[in-house]
mmCIF file of all heavy atoms in Angstrom:
data_model
loop_
_atom_site.group_PDB
_atom_site.id
_atom_site.type_symbol
_atom_site.label_atom_id
_atom_site.label_comp_id
_atom_site.label_asym_id
_atom_site.label_seq_id
_atom_site.Cartn_x
_atom_site.Cartn_y
_atom_site.Cartn_z
ATOM 1 N N ASP A 127 -18.812 -4.903 8.030
ATOM 2 C CA ASP A 127 -19.528 -3.684 8.422
ATOM 3 C C ASP A 127 -18.572 -2.803 9.232
ATOM 4 O O ASP A 127 -18.035 -3.248 10.247
ATOM 5 C CB ASP A 127 -20.749 -4.080 9.268
ATOM 6 C CG ASP A 127 -21.496 -2.848 9.757
ATOM 7 O OD1 ASP A 127 -21.378 -1.788 9.108
ATOM 8 O OD2 ASP A 127 -22.191 -2.958 10.788
ATOM 9 N N ILE A 128 -18.340 -1.593 8.768
ATOM 10 C CA ILE A 128 -17.385 -0.731 9.488
ATOM 11 C C ILE A 128 -18.060 0.440 10.204
ATOM 12 O O ILE A 128 -17.395 1.234 10.860
ATOM 13 C CB ILE A 128 -16.268 -0.194 8.555
ATOM 14 C CG1 ILE A 128 -16.841 0.633 7.407
ATOM 15 C CG2 ILE A 128 -15.411 -1.343 8.035
ATOM 16 C CD1 ILE A 128 -15.771 1.424 6.646
ATOM 17 N N HIS A 129 -19.387 0.525 10.093
ATOM 18 C CA HIS A 129 -20.113 1.589 10.788
ATOM 19 C C HIS A 129 -19.858 1.489 12.295
ATOM 20 O O HIS A 129 -20.007 0.412 12.878
ATOM 21 C CB HIS A 129 -21.610 1.469 10.470
ATOM 22 C CG HIS A 129 -22.420 2.558 11.082
ATOM 23 N ND1 HIS A 129 -23.706 2.363 11.531
ATOM 24 C CD2 HIS A 129 -22.126 3.847 11.329
ATOM 25 C CE1 HIS A 129 -24.161 3.499 12.033
ATOM 26 N NE2 HIS A 129 -23.219 4.415 11.929
ATOM 27 N N ASP A 130 -19.445 2.612 12.904
ATOM 28 C CA ASP A 130 -19.150 2.640 14.346
ATOM 29 C C ASP A 130 -17.958 1.768 14.759
ATOM 30 O O ASP A 130 -17.888 1.328 15.903
ATOM 31 C CB ASP A 130 -20.383 2.231 15.176
ATOM 32 C CG ASP A 130 -21.439 3.330 15.183
ATOM 33 O OD1 ASP A 130 -21.112 4.475 14.800
ATOM 34 O OD2 ASP A 130 -22.592 3.026 15.548
ATOM 35 N N HIS A 131 -17.048 1.515 13.845
ATOM 36 C CA HIS A 131 -15.828 0.772 14.181
ATOM 37 C C HIS A 131 -14.597 1.646 13.936
ATOM 38 O O HIS A 131 -14.616 2.527 13.076
ATOM 39 C CB HIS A 131 -15.707 -0.491 13.320
ATOM 40 C CG HIS A 131 -16.677 -1.560 13.678
ATOM 41 N ND1 HIS A 131 -16.416 -2.522 14.630
ATOM 42 C CD2 HIS A 131 -17.928 -1.813 13.231
ATOM 43 C CE1 HIS A 131 -17.452 -3.323 14.744
ATOM 44 N NE2 HIS A 131 -18.395 -2.919 13.902
ATOM 45 N N HIS A 132 -13.536 1.373 14.698
ATOM 46 C CA HIS A 132 -12.240 1.998 14.413
ATOM 47 C C HIS A 132 -11.602 1.222 13.265
ATOM 48 O O HIS A 132 -11.416 0.005 13.369
ATOM 49 C CB HIS A 132 -11.331 1.941 15.640
ATOM 50 C CG HIS A 132 -11.839 2.766 16.782
ATOM 51 N ND1 HIS A 132 -11.821 4.137 16.770
ATOM 52 C CD2 HIS A 132 -12.400 2.405 17.969
ATOM 53 C CE1 HIS A 132 -12.323 4.596 17.900
ATOM 54 N NE2 HIS A 132 -12.702 3.563 18.651
ATOM 55 N N VAL A 133 -11.293 1.928 12.191
ATOM 56 C CA VAL A 133 -10.807 1.252 10.982
ATOM 57 C C VAL A 133 -9.406 1.740 10.609
ATOM 58 O O VAL A 133 -9.136 2.946 10.578
ATOM 59 C CB VAL A 133 -11.774 1.500 9.800
ATOM 60 C CG1 VAL A 133 -11.216 0.896 8.507
ATOM 61 C CG2 VAL A 133 -13.152 0.909 10.103
ATOM 62 N N LEU A 134 -8.529 0.782 10.338
ATOM 63 C CA LEU A 134 -7.188 1.104 9.842
ATOM 64 C C LEU A 134 -7.005 0.418 8.491
ATOM 65 O O LEU A 134 -6.994 -0.811 8.399
ATOM 66 C CB LEU A 134 -6.118 0.617 10.829
ATOM 67 C CG LEU A 134 -4.674 0.911 10.419
ATOM 68 C CD1 LEU A 134 -4.370 2.412 10.450
ATOM 69 C CD2 LEU A 134 -3.692 0.168 11.326
ATOM 70 N N VAL A 135 -6.884 1.231 7.444
ATOM 71 C CA VAL A 135 -6.668 0.695 6.089
ATOM 72 C C VAL A 135 -5.168 0.478 5.894
ATOM 73 O O VAL A 135 -4.367 1.369 6.180
ATOM 74 C CB VAL A 135 -7.215 1.672 5.026
ATOM 75 C CG1 VAL A 135 -6.930 1.157 3.615
ATOM 76 C CG2 VAL A 135 -8.711 1.876 5.220
ATOM 77 N N VAL A 136 -4.806 -0.728 5.446
ATOM 78 C CA VAL A 136 -3.389 -1.077 5.290
ATOM 79 C C VAL A 136 -3.083 -1.346 3.817
ATOM 80 O O VAL A 136 -3.714 -2.201 3.191
ATOM 81 C CB VAL A 136 -3.050 -2.336 6.135
ATOM 82 C CG1 VAL A 136 -1.611 -2.756 5.923
ATOM 83 C CG2 VAL A 136 -3.313 -2.058 7.624
ATOM 84 N N ASP A 137 -2.140 -0.594 3.269
ATOM 85 C CA ASP A 137 -1.767 -0.803 1.864
ATOM 86 C C ASP A 137 -0.258 -0.968 1.740
ATOM 87 O O ASP A 137 0.499 -0.635 2.658
ATOM 88 C CB ASP A 137 -2.268 0.351 0.985
ATOM 89 C CG ASP A 137 -2.436 -0.078 -0.480
ATOM 90 O OD1 ASP A 137 -2.127 -1.230 -0.824
ATOM 91 O OD2 ASP A 137 -2.877 0.765 -1.292
ATOM 92 N N ASP A 138 0.166 -1.473 0.595
ATOM 93 C CA ASP A 138 1.592 -1.730 0.386
ATOM 94 C C ASP A 138 2.386 -0.442 0.189
ATOM 95 O O ASP A 138 3.410 -0.237 0.822
ATOM 96 C CB ASP A 138 1.813 -2.691 -0.801
ATOM 97 C CG ASP A 138 1.100 -2.267 -2.088
ATOM 98 O OD1 ASP A 138 0.422 -1.221 -2.091
ATOM 99 O OD2 ASP A 138 1.224 -2.990 -3.091
ATOM 100 N N ILE A 139 1.892 0.431 -0.688
ATOM 101 C CA ILE A 139 2.719 1.574 -1.056
ATOM 102 C C ILE A 139 1.874 2.811 -1.346
ATOM 103 O O ILE A 139 0.782 2.718 -1.903
ATOM 104 C CB ILE A 139 3.621 1.217 -2.275
ATOM 105 C CG1 ILE A 139 4.633 2.318 -2.577
ATOM 106 C CG2 ILE A 139 2.810 0.873 -3.508
ATOM 107 C CD1 ILE A 139 5.766 1.856 -3.501
ATOM 108 N N PHE A 140 2.367 3.951 -0.897
ATOM 109 C CA PHE A 140 1.745 5.244 -1.172
ATOM 110 C C PHE A 140 2.597 5.894 -2.251
ATOM 111 O O PHE A 140 3.686 6.391 -1.993
ATOM 112 C CB PHE A 140 1.746 6.078 0.110
ATOM 113 C CG PHE A 140 0.846 7.277 0.087
ATOM 114 C CD1 PHE A 140 -0.537 7.130 0.059
ATOM 115 C CD2 PHE A 140 1.368 8.553 0.125
ATOM 116 C CE1 PHE A 140 -1.381 8.244 0.067
ATOM 117 C CE2 PHE A 140 0.538 9.672 0.133
ATOM 118 C CZ PHE A 140 -0.832 9.507 0.116
ATOM 119 N N ASP A 141 2.097 5.816 -3.495
ATOM 120 C CA ASP A 141 2.864 6.317 -4.635
ATOM 121 C C ASP A 141 2.281 7.682 -5.011
ATOM 122 O O ASP A 141 2.620 8.684 -4.390
ATOM 123 C CB ASP A 141 2.797 5.285 -5.761
ATOM 124 C CG ASP A 141 3.604 5.677 -6.979
ATOM 125 O OD1 ASP A 141 4.462 6.566 -6.867
ATOM 126 O OD2 ASP A 141 3.396 5.095 -8.064
ATOM 127 N N THR A 142 1.383 7.745 -5.992
ATOM 128 C CA THR A 142 0.731 9.041 -6.253
ATOM 129 C C THR A 142 -0.221 9.376 -5.102
ATOM 130 O O THR A 142 -0.521 10.540 -4.864
ATOM 131 C CB THR A 142 -0.091 9.004 -7.563
ATOM 132 O OG1 THR A 142 -1.166 8.083 -7.410
ATOM 133 C CG2 THR A 142 0.782 8.618 -8.741
ATOM 134 N N GLY A 143 -0.707 8.328 -4.416
ATOM 135 C CA GLY A 143 -1.641 8.525 -3.312
ATOM 136 C C GLY A 143 -3.099 8.435 -3.735
ATOM 137 O O GLY A 143 -4.000 8.430 -2.900
ATOM 138 N N LYS A 144 -3.331 8.333 -5.039
ATOM 139 C CA LYS A 144 -4.720 8.360 -5.538
ATOM 140 C C LYS A 144 -5.545 7.180 -5.033
ATOM 141 O O LYS A 144 -6.713 7.329 -4.709
ATOM 142 C CB LYS A 144 -4.724 8.341 -7.065
ATOM 143 C CG LYS A 144 -4.268 9.627 -7.715
ATOM 144 C CD LYS A 144 -4.328 9.440 -9.231
ATOM 145 C CE LYS A 144 -3.642 10.551 -9.986
ATOM 146 N NZ LYS A 144 -3.581 10.242 -11.430
ATOM 147 N N THR A 145 -4.928 5.987 -4.977
ATOM 148 C CA THR A 145 -5.663 4.789 -4.550
ATOM 149 C C THR A 145 -6.179 4.949 -3.124
ATOM 150 O O THR A 145 -7.373 4.807 -2.860
ATOM 151 C CB THR A 145 -4.759 3.532 -4.623
ATOM 152 O OG1 THR A 145 -4.236 3.425 -5.945
ATOM 153 C CG2 THR A 145 -5.528 2.279 -4.277
ATOM 154 N N LEU A 146 -5.287 5.277 -2.217
ATOM 155 C CA LEU A 146 -5.661 5.395 -0.814
ATOM 156 C C LEU A 146 -6.629 6.562 -0.604
ATOM 157 O O LEU A 146 -7.596 6.447 0.152
ATOM 158 C CB LEU A 146 -4.393 5.578 0.039
ATOM 159 C CG LEU A 146 -4.489 5.153 1.487
ATOM 160 C CD1 LEU A 146 -4.978 3.717 1.627
ATOM 161 C CD2 LEU A 146 -3.137 5.314 2.177
ATOM 162 N N PHE A 147 -6.375 7.651 -1.286
ATOM 163 C CA PHE A 147 -7.227 8.828 -1.164
ATOM 164 C C PHE A 147 -8.668 8.492 -1.552
ATOM 165 O O PHE A 147 -9.612 8.777 -0.817
ATOM 166 C CB PHE A 147 -6.681 9.957 -2.063
ATOM 167 C CG PHE A 147 -7.457 11.231 -1.981
ATOM 168 C CD1 PHE A 147 -7.286 12.093 -0.910
ATOM 169 C CD2 PHE A 147 -8.359 11.576 -2.980
ATOM 170 C CE1 PHE A 147 -8.008 13.280 -0.826
ATOM 171 C CE2 PHE A 147 -9.091 12.761 -2.907
ATOM 172 C CZ PHE A 147 -8.906 13.614 -1.830
ATOM 173 N N ARG A 148 -8.834 7.843 -2.683
ATOM 174 C CA ARG A 148 -10.180 7.520 -3.164
ATOM 175 C C ARG A 148 -10.827 6.433 -2.324
ATOM 176 O O ARG A 148 -12.029 6.454 -2.061
ATOM 177 C CB ARG A 148 -10.129 7.117 -4.630
ATOM 178 C CG ARG A 148 -9.814 8.331 -5.499
ATOM 179 C CD ARG A 148 -9.900 8.016 -6.956
ATOM 180 N NE ARG A 148 -11.140 7.338 -7.323
ATOM 181 C CZ ARG A 148 -11.357 6.809 -8.514
ATOM 182 N NH1 ARG A 148 -10.429 6.860 -9.429
ATOM 183 N NH2 ARG A 148 -12.509 6.227 -8.788
ATOM 184 N N LEU A 149 -10.017 5.481 -1.874
ATOM 185 C CA LEU A 149 -10.531 4.405 -1.027
ATOM 186 C C LEU A 149 -11.048 4.966 0.306
ATOM 187 O O LEU A 149 -12.155 4.643 0.747
ATOM 188 C CB LEU A 149 -9.403 3.401 -0.792
ATOM 189 C CG LEU A 149 -9.736 2.104 -0.099
ATOM 190 C CD1 LEU A 149 -10.850 1.382 -0.840
ATOM 191 C CD2 LEU A 149 -8.497 1.215 -0.053
ATOM 192 N N LEU A 150 -10.268 5.827 0.937
ATOM 193 C CA LEU A 150 -10.684 6.408 2.221
ATOM 194 C C LEU A 150 -11.937 7.259 2.034
ATOM 195 O O LEU A 150 -12.825 7.264 2.884
ATOM 196 C CB LEU A 150 -9.547 7.248 2.817
ATOM 197 C CG LEU A 150 -8.330 6.456 3.292
ATOM 198 C CD1 LEU A 150 -7.226 7.391 3.769
ATOM 199 C CD2 LEU A 150 -8.680 5.484 4.411
ATOM 200 N N ASP A 151 -11.997 7.944 0.910
ATOM 201 C CA ASP A 151 -13.162 8.757 0.585
ATOM 202 C C ASP A 151 -14.429 7.908 0.525
ATOM 203 O O ASP A 151 -15.467 8.267 1.092
ATOM 204 C CB ASP A 151 -12.918 9.385 -0.791
ATOM 205 C CG ASP A 151 -13.350 10.815 -0.824
ATOM 206 O OD1 ASP A 151 -13.109 11.515 0.189
ATOM 207 O OD2 ASP A 151 -13.931 11.225 -1.846
ATOM 208 N N GLN A 152 -14.323 6.754 -0.132
ATOM 209 C CA GLN A 152 -15.473 5.847 -0.253
ATOM 210 C C GLN A 152 -15.845 5.240 1.089
ATOM 211 O O GLN A 152 -17.010 5.022 1.385
ATOM 212 C CB GLN A 152 -15.159 4.713 -1.228
ATOM 213 C CG GLN A 152 -15.062 5.176 -2.669
ATOM 214 C CD GLN A 152 -15.144 4.018 -3.657
ATOM 215 O OE1 GLN A 152 -15.464 2.888 -3.288
ATOM 216 N NE2 GLN A 152 -14.863 4.311 -4.914
ATOM 217 N N MET A 153 -14.820 4.926 1.909
ATOM 218 C CA MET A 153 -15.101 4.267 3.178
ATOM 219 C C MET A 153 -15.689 5.217 4.215
ATOM 220 O O MET A 153 -16.446 4.803 5.090
ATOM 221 C CB MET A 153 -13.826 3.598 3.698
ATOM 222 C CG MET A 153 -13.461 2.408 2.825
ATOM 223 S SD MET A 153 -11.953 1.616 3.327
ATOM 224 C CE MET A 153 -12.420 1.028 4.922
ATOM 225 N N ARG A 154 -15.339 6.499 4.102
ATOM 226 C CA ARG A 154 -15.849 7.506 5.034
ATOM 227 C C ARG A 154 -17.380 7.574 5.004
ATOM 228 O O ARG A 154 -18.024 7.815 6.020
ATOM 229 C CB ARG A 154 -15.257 8.877 4.661
ATOM 230 C CG ARG A 154 -14.987 9.754 5.851
ATOM 231 C CD ARG A 154 -14.064 10.913 5.509
ATOM 232 N NE ARG A 154 -12.657 10.556 5.569
ATOM 233 C CZ ARG A 154 -11.795 10.667 4.551
ATOM 234 N NH1 ARG A 154 -12.197 11.120 3.379
ATOM 235 N NH2 ARG A 154 -10.535 10.339 4.710
ATOM 236 N N VAL A 155 -17.936 7.302 3.833
ATOM 237 C CA VAL A 155 -19.394 7.313 3.649
ATOM 238 C C VAL A 155 -20.065 6.268 4.556
ATOM 239 O O VAL A 155 -21.206 6.431 4.973
ATOM 240 C CB VAL A 155 -19.725 7.012 2.156
ATOM 241 C CG1 VAL A 155 -21.212 6.908 1.906
ATOM 242 C CG2 VAL A 155 -19.089 8.066 1.265
ATOM 243 N N LEU A 156 -19.341 5.197 4.887
ATOM 244 C CA LEU A 156 -19.893 4.114 5.708
ATOM 245 C C LEU A 156 -19.838 4.444 7.205
ATOM 246 O O LEU A 156 -20.175 3.626 8.038
ATOM 247 C CB LEU A 156 -19.151 2.808 5.411
ATOM 248 C CG LEU A 156 -19.183 2.378 3.929
ATOM 249 C CD1 LEU A 156 -18.251 1.205 3.672
ATOM 250 C CD2 LEU A 156 -20.609 2.033 3.503
ATOM 251 N N ARG A 157 -19.394 5.632 7.529
ATOM 252 C CA ARG A 157 -19.361 6.192 8.889
ATOM 253 C C ARG A 157 -18.670 5.319 9.955
ATOM 254 O O ARG A 157 -19.281 4.929 10.965
ATOM 255 C CB ARG A 157 -20.780 6.570 9.324
ATOM 256 C CG ARG A 157 -21.285 7.770 8.512
ATOM 257 C CD ARG A 157 -22.605 8.262 8.978
ATOM 258 N NE ARG A 157 -23.663 7.298 8.698
ATOM 259 C CZ ARG A 157 -24.629 6.964 9.535
ATOM 260 N NH1 ARG A 157 -24.700 7.514 10.713
ATOM 261 N NH2 ARG A 157 -25.528 6.083 9.178
ATOM 262 N N PRO A 158 -17.395 5.017 9.726
ATOM 263 C CA PRO A 158 -16.617 4.389 10.804
ATOM 264 C C PRO A 158 -16.401 5.394 11.935
ATOM 265 O O PRO A 158 -16.480 6.610 11.692
ATOM 266 C CB PRO A 158 -15.288 4.053 10.117
ATOM 267 C CG PRO A 158 -15.177 5.000 8.970
ATOM 268 C CD PRO A 158 -16.587 5.299 8.529
ATOM 269 N N THR A 159 -16.118 4.913 13.144
ATOM 270 C CA THR A 159 -15.853 5.830 14.268
ATOM 271 C C THR A 159 -14.607 6.645 13.963
ATOM 272 O O THR A 159 -14.591 7.860 14.112
ATOM 273 C CB THR A 159 -15.634 5.038 15.582
ATOM 274 O OG1 THR A 159 -16.675 4.084 15.707
ATOM 275 C CG2 THR A 159 -15.620 5.951 16.794
ATOM 276 N N THR A 160 -13.530 5.944 13.590
ATOM 277 C CA THR A 160 -12.317 6.612 13.121
ATOM 278 C C THR A 160 -11.816 5.856 11.894
ATOM 279 O O THR A 160 -12.076 4.659 11.735
ATOM 280 C CB THR A 160 -11.194 6.613 14.192
ATOM 281 O OG1 THR A 160 -10.817 5.254 14.489
ATOM 282 C CG2 THR A 160 -11.624 7.327 15.462
ATOM 283 N N LEU A 161 -11.108 6.584 11.027
ATOM 284 C CA LEU A 161 -10.596 5.982 9.796
ATOM 285 C C LEU A 161 -9.176 6.483 9.576
ATOM 286 O O LEU A 161 -8.955 7.677 9.394
ATOM 287 C CB LEU A 161 -11.491 6.379 8.617
ATOM 288 C CG LEU A 161 -11.115 5.819 7.241
ATOM 289 C CD1 LEU A 161 -11.180 4.301 7.227
ATOM 290 C CD2 LEU A 161 -12.064 6.392 6.171
ATOM 291 N N ARG A 162 -8.211 5.555 9.674
ATOM 292 C CA ARG A 162 -6.808 5.935 9.503
ATOM 293 C C ARG A 162 -6.145 4.974 8.520
ATOM 294 O O ARG A 162 -6.755 4.014 8.069
ATOM 295 C CB ARG A 162 -6.094 5.934 10.863
ATOM 296 C CG ARG A 162 -6.740 6.921 11.833
ATOM 297 C CD ARG A 162 -6.250 6.817 13.259
ATOM 298 N NE ARG A 162 -4.989 7.480 13.481
ATOM 299 C CZ ARG A 162 -3.824 6.886 13.651
ATOM 300 N NH1 ARG A 162 -3.739 5.568 13.610
ATOM 301 N NH2 ARG A 162 -2.735 7.580 13.874
ATOM 302 N N SER A 163 -4.884 5.259 8.191
ATOM 303 C CA SER A 163 -4.218 4.419 7.194
ATOM 304 C C SER A 163 -2.762 4.148 7.565
ATOM 305 O O SER A 163 -2.108 4.951 8.232
ATOM 306 C CB SER A 163 -4.282 5.094 5.824
ATOM 307 O OG SER A 163 -3.725 6.391 5.900
ATOM 308 N N ALA A 164 -2.279 2.991 7.104
ATOM 309 C CA ALA A 164 -0.887 2.598 7.331
ATOM 310 C C ALA A 164 -0.350 1.987 6.046
ATOM 311 O O ALA A 164 -1.037 1.194 5.398
ATOM 312 C CB ALA A 164 -0.801 1.572 8.467
ATOM 313 N N VAL A 165 0.850 2.372 5.654
ATOM 314 C CA VAL A 165 1.468 1.786 4.462
ATOM 315 C C VAL A 165 2.885 1.327 4.789
ATOM 316 O O VAL A 165 3.547 1.891 5.666
ATOM 317 C CB VAL A 165 1.520 2.773 3.270
ATOM 318 C CG1 VAL A 165 0.118 3.164 2.804
ATOM 319 C CG2 VAL A 165 2.340 4.019 3.600
ATOM 320 N N LEU A 166 3.321 0.307 4.056
ATOM 321 C CA LEU A 166 4.700 -0.151 4.222
ATOM 322 C C LEU A 166 5.656 0.904 3.679
ATOM 323 O O LEU A 166 6.643 1.246 4.324
ATOM 324 C CB LEU A 166 4.910 -1.467 3.462
ATOM 325 C CG LEU A 166 6.327 -2.040 3.537
ATOM 326 C CD1 LEU A 166 6.585 -2.625 4.919
ATOM 327 C CD2 LEU A 166 6.549 -3.095 2.456
ATOM 328 N N LEU A 167 5.351 1.412 2.471
ATOM 329 C CA LEU A 167 6.283 2.298 1.770
ATOM 330 C C LEU A 167 5.623 3.600 1.345
ATOM 331 O O LEU A 167 4.443 3.629 0.994
ATOM 332 C CB LEU A 167 6.784 1.594 0.500
ATOM 333 C CG LEU A 167 7.318 0.174 0.658
ATOM 334 C CD1 LEU A 167 7.454 -0.486 -0.711
ATOM 335 C CD2 LEU A 167 8.657 0.198 1.380
ATOM 336 N N ARG A 168 6.420 4.654 1.378
ATOM 337 C CA ARG A 168 5.981 5.919 0.793
ATOM 338 C C ARG A 168 7.077 6.341 -0.171
ATOM 339 O O ARG A 168 8.242 6.426 0.196
ATOM 340 C CB ARG A 168 5.808 6.984 1.878
ATOM 341 C CG ARG A 168 5.389 8.341 1.338
ATOM 342 C CD ARG A 168 5.373 9.370 2.464
ATOM 343 N NE ARG A 168 4.919 10.671 2.004
ATOM 344 C CZ ARG A 168 5.690 11.566 1.388
ATOM 345 N NH1 ARG A 168 6.957 11.298 1.141
ATOM 346 N NH2 ARG A 168 5.198 12.726 1.006
#
Side-chain angles (χ1 to χ4, degrees):
D127 177 24
I128 60 168
H129 183 214
D130 287 345
H131 288 271
H132 294 289
V133 175
L134 181 68
V135 177
V136 177
D137 204 357
D138 52 0
I139 188 164
F140 195 68
D141 182 17
T142 65
K144 288 180 191 173
T145 305
L146 205 54
F147 182 78
R148 290 186 50 189
L149 188 56
L150 291 176
D151 222 40
Q152 290 196 10
M153 290 178 64
R154 215 164 276 122
V155 176
L156 303 171
R157 291 185 292 137
T159 312
T160 62
L161 181 62
R162 300 170 80 254
S163 56
V165 296
L166 179 73
L167 310 166
R168 178 186 183 278

